[in-house]
Amino acid sequence: EVQLVQSGAEVKEPGESLKISCKGSGYIFTNYWIGWVRQMPGKGLEWLGIIYPGDSDTRYSPSFQGQVTISVDKSISTAYLQWSGLKASDTAIYYCARSSGSYPYYFDSWGQGTLVTVSS
Amino acid sequence: QTVVTQEPSFSVSPGGTVTLTCGLTSGSVSTSYYPSWYQQTPGQAPRTLIYSTNTRSSGVPDRFSGSLLGNKAALTITGAQADDDSDYYCLLYLDSGISVFGGGTKLTVL
Protein backbone atom coordinates (compact mmCIF):
# COMPACT_ATOMS: atom_id res chain seq x y z
CA GLU A 1 0.00 0.00 0.00
CA VAL A 2 1.31 3.41 -0.98
CA GLN A 3 1.67 5.69 2.04
CA LEU A 4 2.92 9.23 2.46
CA VAL A 5 3.43 10.19 6.10
CA GLN A 6 4.11 13.81 6.90
CA SER A 7 5.77 15.38 9.92
CA GLY A 8 3.68 16.93 12.68
CA ALA A 9 2.21 20.37 13.16
CA GLU A 10 4.58 23.28 13.69
CA VAL A 11 4.22 26.65 15.40
CA LYS A 12 6.87 29.18 14.49
CA GLU A 13 7.57 32.89 14.79
CA PRO A 14 8.06 35.17 11.80
CA GLY A 15 11.61 35.05 10.47
CA GLU A 16 12.30 31.55 11.72
CA SER A 17 13.32 28.71 9.44
CA LEU A 18 11.46 25.44 9.05
CA LYS A 19 11.76 22.13 7.24
CA ILE A 20 8.81 19.72 7.05
CA SER A 21 8.99 16.19 5.74
CA CYS A 22 7.08 13.57 3.78
CA LYS A 23 8.13 9.91 3.97
CA GLY A 24 7.02 7.54 1.24
CA SER A 25 6.55 3.81 1.60
CA GLY A 26 4.95 0.91 -0.26
CA TYR A 27 6.46 1.79 -3.62
CA ILE A 28 9.80 2.54 -5.29
CA PHE A 29 10.37 6.07 -3.99
CA THR A 30 12.86 7.09 -6.65
CA ASN A 31 10.46 6.33 -9.53
CA TYR A 32 7.69 8.82 -8.75
CA TRP A 33 7.60 12.60 -8.50
CA ILE A 34 6.61 14.09 -5.12
CA GLY A 35 4.78 17.39 -5.07
CA TRP A 36 3.84 19.94 -2.42
CA VAL A 37 0.47 21.68 -2.19
CA ARG A 38 -0.52 24.61 0.03
CA GLN A 39 -3.94 25.28 1.49
CA MET A 40 -4.29 28.54 3.36
CA PRO A 41 -7.06 28.76 5.97
CA GLY A 42 -10.44 28.57 4.27
CA LYS A 43 -8.89 28.71 0.81
CA GLY A 44 -8.24 26.40 -2.14
CA LEU A 45 -5.35 24.19 -3.15
CA GLU A 46 -2.20 25.73 -4.60
CA TRP A 47 0.51 23.80 -6.45
CA LEU A 48 3.94 24.80 -5.05
CA GLY A 49 6.41 22.53 -6.78
CA ILE A 50 7.57 19.02 -7.47
CA ILE A 51 10.72 16.91 -7.23
CA TYR A 52 11.84 13.66 -8.84
CA PRO A 53 13.71 11.68 -6.17
CA GLY A 54 15.65 9.69 -8.75
CA ASP A 55 17.76 12.66 -9.82
CA SER A 56 16.45 15.55 -7.65
CA ASP A 57 15.06 17.34 -10.72
CA THR A 58 12.90 20.09 -9.17
CA ARG A 59 10.26 22.40 -10.65
CA TYR A 60 8.61 25.33 -8.91
CA SER A 61 5.47 27.29 -9.56
CA PRO A 62 6.52 30.80 -10.63
CA SER A 63 4.44 32.05 -7.69
CA PHE A 64 6.58 30.16 -5.18
CA GLN A 65 10.01 30.17 -6.83
CA GLY A 66 12.46 31.62 -4.30
CA GLN A 67 9.93 31.44 -1.47
CA VAL A 68 10.39 27.77 -0.60
CA THR A 69 12.93 25.02 -1.24
CA ILE A 70 12.02 21.44 -2.11
CA SER A 71 14.57 18.69 -1.53
CA VAL A 72 14.80 14.95 -1.08
CA ASP A 73 16.86 12.32 0.72
CA LYS A 74 16.29 9.20 -1.29
CA SER A 75 18.28 7.08 1.16
CA ILE A 76 15.40 7.45 3.62
CA SER A 77 12.58 7.89 1.05
CA THR A 78 11.79 11.37 2.35
CA ALA A 79 10.97 14.64 0.62
CA TYR A 80 11.21 18.04 2.30
CA LEU A 81 9.73 21.51 2.05
CA GLN A 82 11.65 24.29 3.73
CA TRP A 83 11.57 28.00 4.45
CA SER A 84 14.49 30.21 5.47
CA GLY A 85 12.42 33.10 6.80
CA LEU A 86 8.79 32.38 7.60
CA LYS A 87 6.06 34.99 7.27
CA ALA A 88 2.61 35.06 8.82
CA SER A 89 1.23 34.51 5.33
CA ASP A 90 2.93 31.08 5.26
CA THR A 91 0.34 29.87 7.76
CA ALA A 92 -1.37 26.98 6.00
CA ILE A 93 -1.75 23.24 5.71
CA TYR A 94 0.89 21.75 3.45
CA TYR A 95 0.23 18.46 1.68
CA CYS A 96 2.70 16.26 -0.08
CA ALA A 97 1.40 14.05 -2.87
CA ARG A 98 2.83 11.41 -5.15
CA SER A 99 2.67 12.14 -8.81
CA SER A 100 2.23 9.78 -11.67
CA GLY A 101 5.36 7.90 -12.72
CA SER A 102 7.74 9.49 -15.20
CA TYR A 103 5.73 12.65 -15.82
CA PRO A 104 4.07 14.71 -13.08
CA TYR A 105 0.66 14.95 -14.75
CA TYR A 106 -1.49 14.34 -11.69
CA PHE A 107 -1.36 13.25 -8.06
CA ASP A 108 -2.47 9.74 -7.14
CA SER A 109 -1.70 9.53 -3.41
CA TRP A 110 -1.71 12.15 -0.69
CA GLY A 111 -0.10 12.72 2.70
CA GLN A 112 -2.24 13.64 5.68
CA GLY A 113 -1.06 17.26 5.69
CA THR A 114 1.15 19.34 7.99
CA LEU A 115 -0.29 22.43 9.66
CA VAL A 116 2.21 25.27 9.83
CA THR A 117 1.29 28.24 12.01
CA VAL A 118 3.43 31.36 11.91
CA SER A 119 2.62 33.86 14.63
CA SER A 120 4.39 36.19 16.99
CA GLN B 1 0.19 33.85 -15.73
CA THR B 2 -2.19 31.00 -16.49
CA VAL B 3 -5.40 31.01 -14.47
CA VAL B 4 -7.59 27.92 -14.18
CA THR B 5 -11.28 28.69 -13.70
CA GLN B 6 -13.98 26.74 -11.86
CA GLU B 7 -17.49 27.62 -10.75
CA PRO B 8 -17.22 28.87 -7.13
CA SER B 9 -20.31 26.97 -6.08
CA PHE B 10 -22.98 24.60 -7.34
CA SER B 11 -25.90 22.79 -5.84
CA VAL B 12 -27.60 19.53 -6.78
CA SER B 13 -30.50 17.55 -5.40
CA PRO B 14 -29.91 14.03 -4.10
CA GLY B 15 -30.12 11.65 -7.05
CA GLY B 16 -29.56 14.44 -9.53
CA THR B 17 -26.80 15.02 -12.04
CA VAL B 18 -24.33 17.88 -11.96
CA THR B 19 -21.44 18.85 -14.22
CA LEU B 20 -18.57 20.94 -12.89
CA THR B 21 -16.18 22.55 -15.35
CA CYS B 22 -12.53 23.56 -15.48
CA GLY B 23 -11.34 26.13 -17.98
CA LEU B 24 -8.56 28.52 -18.83
CA THR B 25 -8.76 32.30 -18.92
CA SER B 26 -6.82 32.07 -22.14
CA GLY B 27 -7.24 29.13 -24.47
CA SER B 28 -8.96 25.76 -24.44
CA VAL B 29 -8.42 22.75 -22.23
CA SER B 30 -7.42 19.65 -24.18
CA THR B 31 -6.19 16.18 -23.28
CA SER B 32 -2.65 17.60 -23.45
CA TYR B 33 -3.36 19.33 -20.15
CA TYR B 34 -4.04 15.90 -18.55
CA PRO B 35 -6.93 17.31 -16.47
CA SER B 36 -7.42 15.64 -13.11
CA TRP B 37 -10.05 16.09 -10.40
CA TYR B 38 -9.85 15.95 -6.63
CA GLN B 39 -12.49 15.83 -3.90
CA GLN B 40 -11.90 17.37 -0.49
CA THR B 41 -14.16 17.28 2.54
CA PRO B 42 -13.53 19.59 5.51
CA GLY B 43 -10.55 18.57 7.62
CA GLN B 44 -9.43 15.89 5.20
CA ALA B 45 -6.66 15.56 2.64
CA PRO B 46 -7.74 15.68 -1.00
CA ARG B 47 -8.76 12.45 -2.72
CA THR B 48 -8.00 11.76 -6.35
CA LEU B 49 -11.12 11.08 -8.41
CA ILE B 50 -10.23 11.37 -12.10
CA TYR B 51 -6.95 11.66 -14.00
CA SER B 52 -5.92 12.03 -17.62
CA THR B 53 -9.29 13.58 -18.48
CA ASN B 54 -11.52 10.54 -17.92
CA THR B 55 -9.78 7.73 -16.00
CA ARG B 56 -11.28 6.97 -12.62
CA SER B 57 -8.85 6.46 -9.77
CA SER B 58 -8.95 3.14 -7.94
CA GLY B 59 -12.02 2.76 -5.75
CA VAL B 60 -13.88 5.77 -7.13
CA PRO B 61 -17.57 5.03 -7.79
CA ASP B 62 -18.67 5.05 -11.42
CA ARG B 63 -21.13 7.87 -10.76
CA PHE B 64 -18.08 10.12 -11.17
CA SER B 65 -16.94 10.65 -14.75
CA GLY B 66 -14.59 13.01 -16.53
CA SER B 67 -14.69 14.43 -20.03
CA LEU B 68 -13.98 17.41 -22.23
CA LEU B 69 -16.98 19.68 -22.78
CA GLY B 70 -16.44 22.34 -25.39
CA ASN B 71 -13.24 24.12 -24.42
CA LYS B 72 -13.23 22.90 -20.82
CA ALA B 73 -12.63 19.79 -18.77
CA ALA B 74 -15.69 18.51 -16.96
CA LEU B 75 -16.51 16.36 -13.95
CA THR B 76 -20.00 14.86 -13.96
CA ILE B 77 -21.64 13.30 -10.93
CA THR B 78 -24.62 11.15 -11.88
CA GLY B 79 -26.97 10.23 -9.07
CA ALA B 80 -25.48 12.56 -6.48
CA GLN B 81 -25.37 11.34 -2.91
CA ALA B 82 -25.23 13.22 0.36
CA ASP B 83 -21.57 12.39 0.88
CA ASP B 84 -20.70 14.03 -2.44
CA ASP B 85 -21.18 17.32 -0.61
CA SER B 86 -17.55 18.49 -0.87
CA ASP B 87 -15.10 20.83 -2.52
CA TYR B 88 -13.86 19.79 -5.95
CA TYR B 89 -10.63 20.93 -7.54
CA CYS B 90 -9.26 20.45 -11.01
CA LEU B 91 -5.56 20.36 -11.82
CA LEU B 92 -4.09 21.11 -15.23
CA TYR B 93 -0.58 20.19 -16.35
CA LEU B 94 0.80 23.21 -18.18
CA ASP B 95 4.34 22.61 -19.34
CA SER B 96 7.86 21.78 -18.14
CA GLY B 97 6.56 19.93 -15.11
CA ILE B 98 4.42 22.81 -13.84
CA SER B 99 0.75 22.39 -12.94
CA VAL B 100 -1.96 24.70 -11.64
CA PHE B 101 -5.08 24.05 -9.57
CA GLY B 102 -8.37 25.72 -10.24
CA GLY B 103 -9.96 27.76 -7.48
CA GLY B 104 -12.31 24.93 -6.55
CA THR B 105 -16.06 24.40 -6.60
CA LYS B 106 -18.07 24.01 -3.43
CA LEU B 107 -20.79 21.46 -4.21
CA THR B 108 -23.86 21.36 -2.00
CA VAL B 109 -26.15 18.35 -2.13
CA LEU B 110 -29.60 19.29 -0.85
Side-chain angles (χ1 to χ4, degrees):
Chain A
E1 179 197 4
V2 174
Q3 279 198 310
L4 297 172
V5 178
Q6 298 186 229
S7 50
E10 301 274 2
V11 179
K12 292 288 189 181
E13 294 189 356
E16 290 189 312
S17 61
L18 176 64
K19 192 174 190 177
I20 62 175
S21 66
C22 169
K23 183 174 176 60
S25 62
Y27 69 100
I28 300 173
F29 186 74
T30 50
N31 288 3
Y32 292 80
W33 294 80
I34 290 281
W36 288 94
V37 176
R38 182 176 82 172
Q39 188 166 40
M40 299 176 73
K43 302 298 184 182
L45 305 177
E46 298 174 275
W47 192 96
L48 272 67
I50 203 157
I51 189 165
Y52 189 71
D55 60 6
S56 295
D57 184 4
T58 308
R59 315 292 172 88
Y60 293 96
S61 163
S63 300
F64 292 95
Q65 179 86 46
Q67 308 305 308
V68 297
T69 301
I70 295 171
S71 60
V72 69
D73 184 342
K74 59 185 179 182
S75 70
I76 55 171
S77 301
T78 300
Y80 301 96
L81 178 66
Q82 70 180 86
W83 297 259
S84 58
L86 285 161
K87 301 184 284 286
S89 58
D90 293 318
T91 295
I93 297 173
Y94 293 86
Y95 295 100
C96 67
R98 191 186 80 160
S99 199
S100 51
S102 300
Y103 293 93
Y105 296 143
Y106 63 90
F107 295 125
D108 63 4
S109 295
W110 293 77
Q112 83 276 20
T114 295
L115 174 62
V116 174
T117 303
V118 184
S119 175
S120 55
Chain B
Q1 187 165 335
T2 302
V3 176
V4 178
T5 62
Q6 294 186 247
E7 300 86 0
S9 63
F10 233 117
S11 64
V12 62
S13 300
T17 296
V18 63
T19 296
L20 312 182
T21 68
C22 174
L24 291 166
T25 52
S26 178
S28 300
V29 177
S30 67
T31 56
S32 300
Y33 286 89
Y34 297 91
S36 53
W37 293 90
Y38 306 86
Q39 177 191 49
Q40 188 183 35
T41 53
Q44 299 296 314
R47 169 197 182 197
T48 304
L49 294 176
I50 301 286
Y51 60 90
S52 297
T53 306
N54 56 13
T55 303
R56 263 186 304 277
S57 191
S58 177
V60 173
D62 60 7
R63 66 177 183 276
F64 293 93
S65 62
S67 64
L68 293 179
L69 206 60
N71 62 350
K72 297 181 179 182
L75 173 70
T76 300
I77 307 173
T78 304
Q81 300 183 1
D83 60 4
D84 297 335
D85 194 300
S86 302
D87 295 326
Y88 293 86
Y89 296 92
C90 68
L91 178 69
L92 299 181
Y93 177 80
L94 299 184
D95 194 12
S96 302
I98 307 297
S99 296
V100 178
F101 281 104
T105 297
K106 182 175 180 58
L107 179 67
T108 301
V109 180
L110 56 78

